[in-house]
Amino acid sequence: MNQYLISVYQPEGGVPEPEVLEPIMRDVEAVTAELKEAGAWVFAAGLFPPSTATVLRLKDGKDSKDSEVLTTDGPYVEGKEHLGGFTVIRAADLDEALAWGAKVARAITLPVEVRPLQSGTC
């Protein structure tokens, strides 16, 4: 089985009110339970806000063992949406992964991206 990353993108701003968030989280938990029951779930996590990110990059983009690494407050890319969390799944093919991604998108009510993981990297 192949592995796929389902990335969840969320808008800037605060957490929705409990009456909005609680049903969404119930739906997300139901999809997670379905993924686990099907043996497709590998790992999932939510991320803290982009303001907590730290960006590391080589000074002047030089690719050398001696290049200085610069550290700056994140995020790397400014935007109206940011990566808010992710799920790694196992699926037979892209069609199956997209079906799971659609279930996640319906549950979380936010855009998701489905992308295959390269083999040998996990």
Side-chain angles (χ1 to χ4, degrees):
M1 285 228 156
N2 301 311
Q3 291 187 342
Y4 294 84
L5 176 70
I6 301 174
S7 304
V8 177
Y9 291 91
Q10 64 186 58
E12 284 185 17
V15 176
E17 296 297 323
E19 61 271 8
V20 173
L21 186 60
E22 287 172 8
I24 291 170
M25 293 313 299
R26 272 195 304 273
D27 291 347
V28 169
E29 289 169 8
V31 172
T32 300
E34 187 179 350
L35 280 161
K36 288 179 178 180
E37 187 175 306
W41 187 86
V42 176
F43 179 79
L47 300 173
F48 284 101
S51 61
T52 65
T54 304
V55 178
L56 305 170
R57 73 179 89 218
L58 295 177
K59 183 177 181 179
D60 301 324
K62 294 179 183 174
D63 189 15
S64 162
K65 291 181 184 177
D66 298 328
S67 292
E68 181 181 354
V69 176
L70 303 176
T71 304
T72 58
D73 291 340
Y76 175 70
V77 176
E78 295 290 333
K80 293 182 180 182
E81 292 183 335
H82 60 274
L83 181 63
F86 61 90
T87 301
V88 176
I89 64 166
R90 287 184 203 92
D93 54 32
L94 180 59
D95 288 338
E96 183 180 331
L98 291 174
W100 283 116
K103 288 182 180 195
V104 172
R106 282 187 192 96
I108 200 136
T109 69
L110 292 170
V112 304
E113 175 183 278
V114 176
R115 187 183 299 188
L117 296 178
Q118 293 183 14
S119 63
T121 59
C122 296

